[in-house]
């Protein structure tokens, strides 16, 4: 049974209310921090814990906190990134809906560490019903004296607000999020300057994912060193994995980093194996933006070692044979899934979500979608596959923000690992006219057939 | 002051200068092109990605290279920075890629577009573009519209440099047009029919790098290389009154603000100067305006070459380059 | 055609709006634009007409074009009238893997409209949208504030019938969840 740090009490009835949450030990980190720790000491614990940003980038949270400009006399802000829009990811929604006080507690403790007097939770607009849940939890926290003026009789005051988005994946990028929080179009800013220096209202700001902030409470209570003992190597702690696709038990699972991908996929404790008695074909391990991997490469690295659920192990092999943990949006596909069609839905997504500021992303995402649409619907020709690879290459690295990379990597990886399937679509357009072509007859690699 | 080396040529510039502006001080081929940056428009730049360069050494203090190509128009120089522009094949590949992206939704309007001959995109495509297109999909299209009664917007030609919105913000405080929608459906528009009635709106035409925003009073009147540009001025209480008259014989076909060698207007003009004085008698003519001899406009041979000025310029270049190593030869340039 | 003089929040909505504005520092009231547009959309028939947007601009002392730019950028703001119930079906990869295409096809047949259209009686508008963060309970759709998950054609039929019977206009701020 894996250790649970965030979802320990998730099944206690009424855990979404202040009363029950408090009884289970909730808000103890606020008491501990305000009564016996300085803000820098709290930051130190987070640094020691090895906690990495759980939104997808995996940047060490403690280091990000230490970059905050503490010399400026501008007000400081902590902004929680609850814009969760990466396809395959739904863990923040689960956490906020079922145990909202975990996030509120983390926001208070983290804001104290950063010296923020007002903090915001930026939540995607589609989660509007969760805005109500969070606002209620915040009201309860105010009523109990954990928010507002002079919290618990200390001289620390904090106001916490929820701010809804309105439908834009790009607002999950931290600078686009800040633009949106300021009431503007979600156009990412050029970095530098970084938000730690000039963020919200040109003031020092830290933007962290929901899960990252939710971990702050437990880290302060158990101590950073204890947290660092969980997990493996530089992947400390636990991670919420959103498992979806062709598995028996889709849902949110909290795992200790370092369990094997095989265990995660097949054990009844987690995904429970591939549904309908089918075989695994491919996995997108960290949300649509990370490279897709075929079954053999997701279970074992190119070197033949068992692949583990951790930042390092999933990235083993780089772009040639690896992927990334990313947001932990684990999408599994069985043998009837069409890689080309799945990729088309992803490129359609990025095309729809591009903010349009910079030319490679604005034009390139549309181009890739249109070419893939043709290939998937039986109008592709042989030059299209190399064209896609070239377009993806020309977008990667040349954009203002990582959305361009996120759009390019799925294309490059799908073609790298499943080129035959693309060629099949081009060679046999009649066979792919039915959108469910591989459900009718699973695609079999000619290469594999020849090898048998 | 900070020293920066671009393509092997060192120059010293004030702190906070961007790589692009440092390169402009060197001049010549070392200067990256710029489609969205405009030196007199605050907040412009960083979007088109045409000016991407490679920073192989961040600074003297921290010599690590920058992991990705950076936009030279928005990246400040640090002392000891080493930059590669045309000496880097990676940069040239990226630039070719960006030019291709700019052209895939751009209509082949050159034969009917007023901007031909003074179009930044034409020049850029000529330098860095491919001779054929690989794009066989449908292009996004829009209907032609009027922005105000003197400006025609061909949204199909727009490359979304945002300059027109910046100039509106900077010169007036009641901007009525902006960027609507997102992605490649982005559109410059007033959303509902609205009069653009501020007195400096015509400057949108000058800052637009392509033929998206054009002067209706000049529309289809003449190809720009058949006109003679003349520097002129008049007493104006609203603006500097310094313009360029584009003439054909005795007729003034068009009036525009003066652009420098990088196609940037430094002093904006009011609408009265731009639209309401199309008679040579309204102006004090200063003389023919010098336009870069590489430009098609210069093919008109309307200027007598000032040999003395030319000699001085050549001497200045020689002095500047003395003792500086030549850029390493770049095989892809000669391929 | 209402002109901007007649567009105004009700007293209650105005109080909510003013409280929203107070969340942000002095001089930064433009931050309230996104939540205010949600409020305005719910108040004024489920969409944002130019007059409504001009009103919101006046509440925040910003230019109308700044509101149009924001409203057209974000997908949750409807700049055209929509039916009583806006049915938004997720169509991205993980939902597609679990049969989202079938659900869309089923709704199109049941209501006699295509993606993006509204039924003749003005009751339903169908829209396919991108990932709604419900991949573990796919296929699914959103109607106003409510998520309907683990869909089957039968459940969809039940939902449509009950929504029609409830007669309420869906909006993102108030739940109208039907048991399916």
């Amino acid at each position: 049974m894996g250790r649970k740090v965030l979802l320990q009490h998730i099944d206690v009835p009424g855990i979404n209310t202040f009363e029950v949450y408090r009884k289970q030990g909730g808000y103890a980190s606020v008491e501990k921090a305000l009564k016996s720790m300085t803000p820098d000491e709290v930051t130190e614990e987070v640094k020691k814990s090895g906690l990495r940003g759980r939104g997808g980038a995996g940047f060490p949270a403690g280091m990000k906190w230490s970059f905050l400009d503490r010399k400026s006399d501008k007000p400081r802000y902590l902004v929680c990134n609850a814009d969760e829009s990466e396809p395959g990811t739904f863990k923040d929604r689960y956490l906020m809906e079922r145990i909202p006080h975990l996030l509120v507690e983390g926001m208070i403790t983290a804001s104290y560490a950063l010296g923020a007097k007002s903090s915001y939770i930026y939540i995607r607009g589609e989660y509007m019903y969760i805005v109500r849940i969070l606002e209620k939890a915040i009201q309860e926290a105010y009523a109990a004296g954990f928010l507002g003026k002079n919290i618990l009789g200390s001289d620390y005051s904090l106001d916490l607000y929820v701010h809804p988005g309105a439908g834009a994946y790009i607002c999950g990028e931290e600078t686009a999020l800040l633009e949106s929080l300021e009431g503007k179009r979600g156009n990412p800013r050029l970095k530098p300057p970084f938000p730690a220096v000039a963020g919200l209202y040109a003031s020092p700001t830290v933007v962290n994912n929901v899960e990252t902030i939710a971990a702050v409470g437990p880290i302060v209570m158990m101590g950073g060193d204890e947290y660092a003992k969980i997990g493996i190597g530089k992947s400390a702690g636990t991670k919420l994995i959103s498992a979806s696709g062709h598995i028996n038990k889709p849902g949110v699972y909290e795992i200790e980093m370092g369990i094997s991908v095989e265990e995660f996929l097949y054990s009844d404790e987690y995904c429970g194996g591939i549904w309908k008695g089918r075989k695994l074909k491919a996995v997108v391990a960290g949300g649509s933006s990370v490279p897709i991997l075929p079954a053999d490469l997701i279970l074992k690295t190119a070197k033949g070692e068992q692949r583990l659920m951790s930042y390092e192990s999933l990235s083993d092999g780089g772009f040639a044979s690896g992927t990334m943990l990313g947001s932990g949006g684990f999408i599994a596909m069985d043998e009837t899934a069409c890689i080309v069609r799945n990729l088309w839905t992803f490129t359609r997504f990025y095309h729809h979500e591009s903010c349009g500021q910079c030319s490679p992303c604005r034009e390139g995402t549309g181009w890739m979608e249109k070419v893939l649409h043709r290939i998937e619907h039986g109008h592709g020709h042989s030059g299209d596959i190399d064209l896609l690879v070239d377009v993806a290459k020309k977008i990667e690295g040349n954009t203002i923000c990582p959305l361009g990379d996120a759009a390019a990597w799925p294309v490059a990886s799908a073609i790298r690992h499943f080129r035959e399937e693309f060629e099949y679509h081009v060679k046999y357009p009649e066979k792919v006219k039915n959108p469910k072509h591989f459900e009718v007859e699973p695609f079999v690699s000619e290469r594999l057939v020849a090898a048998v | 002051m900070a020293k920066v080396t671009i393509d092997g040529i060192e120059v010293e510039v004030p702190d906070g200068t961007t790589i692009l502006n440092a390169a402009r001080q060197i001049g010549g081929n070392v200067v990256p092109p710029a489609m969205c940056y405009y030196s007199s428009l605050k907040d412009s730049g960083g979007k088109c990605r045409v000016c991407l360069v490679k920073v192989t050494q961040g600074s003297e203090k921290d010599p690590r290279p920058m992991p990705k190509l950076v936009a030279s128009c928005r990246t400040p120089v640090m002392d000891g920075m080493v930059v590669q522009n045309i000496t880097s094949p990676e940069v040239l590949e990226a630039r070719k890629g960006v030019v291709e992206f700019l052209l895939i939704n751009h209509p082949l309007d050159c034969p009917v577009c007023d901007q031909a001959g003074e179009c930044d995109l034409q020049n850029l495509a000529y330098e860095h573009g491919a001779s054929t297109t690989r794009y066989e999909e449908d292009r996004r299209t829009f209907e032609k519209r009027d922005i105000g009664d003197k400006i025609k917007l061909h949204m199909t030609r727009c490359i979304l440099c945002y300059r027109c919105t910046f100039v509106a913000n900077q010169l007036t405080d009641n901007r009525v047009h902006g960027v609507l929608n997102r992605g490649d459906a982005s559109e410059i528009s007033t959303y509902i029919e609205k009069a653009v009635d501020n007195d400096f709106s015509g400057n949108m035409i000058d800052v637009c790098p392509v033929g998206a925003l054009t002067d209706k009073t000049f529309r289809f009147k003449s190809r720009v290389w058949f006109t003679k540009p003349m520097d002129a001025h008049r007493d104006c209480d609203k603006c500097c009154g310094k313009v360029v008259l584009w003439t054909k014989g005795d007729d003034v076909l068009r009036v525009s603000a003066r652009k420098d060698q990088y196609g940037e207007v430094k002093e904006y003009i009011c609408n009265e100067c731009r639209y309401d004085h199309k008679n040579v008698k309204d102006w004090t003519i200063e003389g023919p305006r010098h336009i870069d001899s590489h430009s098609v406009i210069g093919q008109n041979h309307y200027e007598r070459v000032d040999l003395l000025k030319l000699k001085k310029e050549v001497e200045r270049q020689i002095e500047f380059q003395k003792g500086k190593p030549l850029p390493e030869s770049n095989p892809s340039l000669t391929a | 055609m209402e002109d901007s003089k007649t567009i105004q929040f009700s007293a209650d909505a105005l109080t909510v709006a003013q409280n929203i504005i107070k969340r942000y520092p002095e001089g930064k009231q433009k931050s309230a634009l996104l939540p205010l547009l949600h409020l305005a959309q719910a108040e004024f028939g489920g969409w944002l007409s130019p007059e409504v947007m001009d009103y919101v601009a006046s509440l925040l002392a910003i230019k109308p074009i700044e509101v149009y730019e924001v409203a057209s950028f974000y997908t949750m703001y409807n700049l055209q009238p929509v039916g009583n119930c806006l049915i938004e079906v997720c169509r991205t990869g993980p939902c597609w893997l679990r049969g989202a295409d079938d659900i869309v096809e089923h709704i199109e047949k049941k209501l006699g409209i295509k993606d993006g259209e509204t039924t003749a009686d003005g009751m339903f508008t169908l829209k396919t949208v991108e990932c709604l963060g419900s991949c573990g309970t796919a296929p699914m759709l959103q109607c106003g504030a409510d998520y309907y998950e683990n869909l089957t054609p039968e459940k969809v039929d039940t939902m449509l019938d009950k929504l029609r019977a409830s007669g309420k206009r869906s909006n993102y701020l108030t739940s109208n969840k039907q048991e399916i």
Side-chain angles (χ1 to χ4, degrees), chain A residues 64-356:
Chain A
K64 197 189 238 189
W65 287 17
S66 69
F67 289 158
L68 188 68
D69 183 355
R70 287 169 170 79
K71 292 198 224 100
S72 160
D73 55 5
K74 292 211 180 107
R76 299 181 217 150
Y77 296 100
L78 171 64
V79 176
C80 172
N81 186 342
D83 190 62
E84 186 170 69
S85 307
E86 175 86 5
T89 317
F90 47 99
K91 59 173 177 82
D92 294 337
R93 173 174 163 229
Y94 183 76
L95 204 150
M96 291 187 288
E97 183 172 0
R98 301 281 299 272
I99 189 166
H101 284 282
L102 184 61
L103 175 61
V104 177
E105 179 182 350
M107 285 296 288
I108 301 171
T109 310
S111 298
Y112 172 69
L114 295 169
K117 301 273 175 40
S118 343
S119 296
Y120 296 90
I121 299 175
Y122 181 103
I123 183 169
R124 69 178 292 185
E126 294 88 339
Y127 287 177
M128 202 64 86
Y129 77 96
I130 300 186
V131 171
R132 304 287 158 251
I133 294 174
L134 283 172
E135 282 179 340
K136 180 154 173 294
I138 289 174
Q139 253 169 28
E140 289 177 325
Y142 268 103
F146 282 95
L147 279 171
K149 293 238 175 319
N150 303 111
I151 299 175
L152 302 180
S154 74
D155 50 16
Y156 179 64
S157 306
L158 175 68
D159 281 316
L160 181 59
Y161 305 109
V162 181
H163 174 106
Y169 163 74
I170 185 61
C171 289
E173 197 277 333
E174 66 175 355
T175 59
L177 190 156
L178 296 174
E179 287 285 292
S180 187
L181 235 181
E182 294 183 8
K184 301 185 235 165
R185 292 160 64 86
N187 285 341
R189 301 175 184 165
L190 291 162
K191 295 195 278 205
F194 289 86
V197 169
L200 184 62
Y201 312 128
S203 306
T205 309
V206 166
V207 181
N208 273 139
N209 175 258
V210 168
E211 193 188 341
T212 313
I213 293 179
V216 171
I219 285 173
V220 165
M221 286 317 290
M222 69 170 81
D225 289 327
E226 269 308 303
Y227 187 84
K229 287 193 192 142
I230 310 171
I232 183 170
K234 291 217 193 88
S235 301
T238 62
K239 176 91 187 73
L240 294 180
I241 304 289
S242 319
S244 67
H246 293 156
I247 49 179
N248 280 317
K249 298 180 1 171
V252 177
Y253 297 102
E254 183 173 10
I255 61 161
E256 280 188 41
M257 296 245 236
I259 65 167
S260 70
V261 175
E262 189 172 354
E263 185 190 342
F264 182 72
L265 250 176
Y266 292 107
S267 152
D268 272 328
E269 200 183 322
Y270 305 110
C271 300
I274 307 302
W275 73 345
K276 303 189 179 172
R278 294 190 188 147
K279 291 206 288 290
L280 179 69
K281 180 176 184 180
V283 166
V284 175
S288 61
S289 306
V290 307
I292 187 173
L293 283 181
D296 53 339
L297 278 177
I298 191 63
L299 295 172
K300 286 197 159 62
T301 67
K303 291 183 238 144
E305 290 161 359
Q306 194 163 59
R307 188 85 77 170
L308 308 175
M309 299 288 284
S310 74
Y311 291 103
E312 284 68 47
S313 180
L314 283 166
S315 310
D316 187 302
F319 282 113
S321 64
T323 180
M324 295 169 205
L325 180 58
S327 63
F330 193 91
I331 310 166
M333 284 169 243
D334 70 30
E335 63 224 349
T336 66
C338 174
I339 300 294
V340 178
R341 195 175 186 88
N342 183 62
L343 180 65
W344 171 53
T345 69
F346 286 166
T347 52
R348 181 176 56 181
F349 170 79
Y350 292 109
H351 178 207
H352 187 254
E353 301 295 335
S354 170
C355 78

Side-chain angles (χ1 to χ4, degrees), chain A residues 185 357 359 363 374 381 390, chain B residues 47-48 105 134 179 181:
Chain A
R185 292 160 64 86
Q357 267 191 116
S359 17
E363 311 292 348
R374 274 195 296 109
H381 51 74
D390 195 47
Chain B
K47 297 194 207 303
C48 66
N105 272 315
R134 302 188 283 183
V179 186
N181 306 326

Side-chain angles (χ1 to χ4, degrees), chain B residues 31 72 76 117 135 144 172 179 186 204 230-231 251 275 291 304 331:
Chain B
V31 182
S72 56
Y135 188 76
K144 299 192 285 283
T172 74
V179 186
S186 295
M204 270 196 263
M230 311 286 272
D231 276 345
D251 298 321
Y275 301 124
I291 305 236
R304 247 188 15 227

Side-chain angles (χ1 to χ4, degrees), chain C residues 82-113:
Chain C
V82 289
N84 229 29
C85 296
L86 177 58
I87 309 285
E88 298 178 290
V89 187
C90 175
R91 66 183 188 186
T92 320
C95 269
W96 163 69
L97 283 172
R98 304 277 295 203
D101 280 357
D102 292 335
I103 298 294
V104 173
E105 208 181 299
H106 178 83
I107 299 178
E108 285 183 328
K109 277 210 195 82
K110 182 90 197 274
L111 297 180
I113 55 176

Side-chain angles (χ1 to χ4, degrees), chain B residues 13-14 142 224:
Chain B
V13 292
F142 300 93
V224 77

